[in-house]
Amino acid sequence: MRFLGHLIVTGLALWVTALILPGMHLGDDSATLLSQVLTIGAIALILALINTIVKPLLSFLAFPITCLTLGLFQLVINTLMLLLAGWVSGLVGLTLEFDTFWWALLAGVIIGILSGIVEAVTGLGDPDRERA
């Protein structure tokens, strides 16, 4: 149930970020509402899988650089995960594109902030709350 909640939060954060940023393209604008929702859900699932499988490995390998930059390199890792999700989604016929690396970096920051706020409000980010 918690995983489903994270998927919904990630999908909402992706959608709001795509509305805010002109350099981020998510889904087909001319598609039906149901098609857009399914596209955002599928891309959120792809991003969740990439963050579960690839991100820990990359974070471990980049740990020295992350320490040298006092954690700022994590922004680059998040950006690479978004770009990888865009590439994978393109392979399956979905659209998640960024005009430049910098749009992807800004999108990663906004998605992280939005996800953090929603998870804090809903309690999804607090593992102790679920045990109680």
Side-chain angles (χ1 to χ4, degrees):
M1 197 62 166
R2 186 176 165 156
F3 180 72
L4 182 61
H6 283 292
L7 275 180
I8 292 170
V9 169
T10 302
L12 286 172
L14 280 167
W15 176 64
V16 170
T17 304
L19 292 176
I20 294 171
L21 296 180
M24 178 180 172
H25 311 286
L26 179 64
D28 185 16
D29 293 334
S30 63
T32 64
L33 180 64
L34 179 63
S35 176
Q36 289 176 350
V37 169
L38 292 176
T39 298
I40 292 170
I43 291 173
L45 179 63
I46 290 169
L47 186 59
L49 290 174
I50 287 173
N51 282 338
T52 302
I53 298 168
V54 178
K55 187 176 180 179
L57 178 63
L58 188 59
S59 294
F60 176 74
L61 293 175
F63 183 71
I65 298 170
T66 304
C67 287
L68 286 174
T69 61
L70 302 176
L72 289 177
F73 194 72
Q74 276 296 354
L75 293 173
V76 174
I77 292 173
N78 288 341
T79 304
L80 292 175
M81 295 304 102
L82 271 175
L83 291 172
L84 181 60
W87 179 73
V88 171
S89 65
L91 291 177
V92 295
L94 303 172
T95 304
L96 174 63
E97 297 173 348
F98 300 95
D99 290 344
T100 64
F101 174 84
W102 301 108
W103 283 116
L105 180 74
L106 186 57
V109 169
I110 293 172
I111 289 169
I113 290 171
L114 291 174
S115 296
I117 290 170
V118 173
E119 287 177 1
V121 169
T122 60
L124 282 172
D126 188 12
D128 294 333
R129 188 173 189 180
E130 188 170 301
R131 283 187 226 138

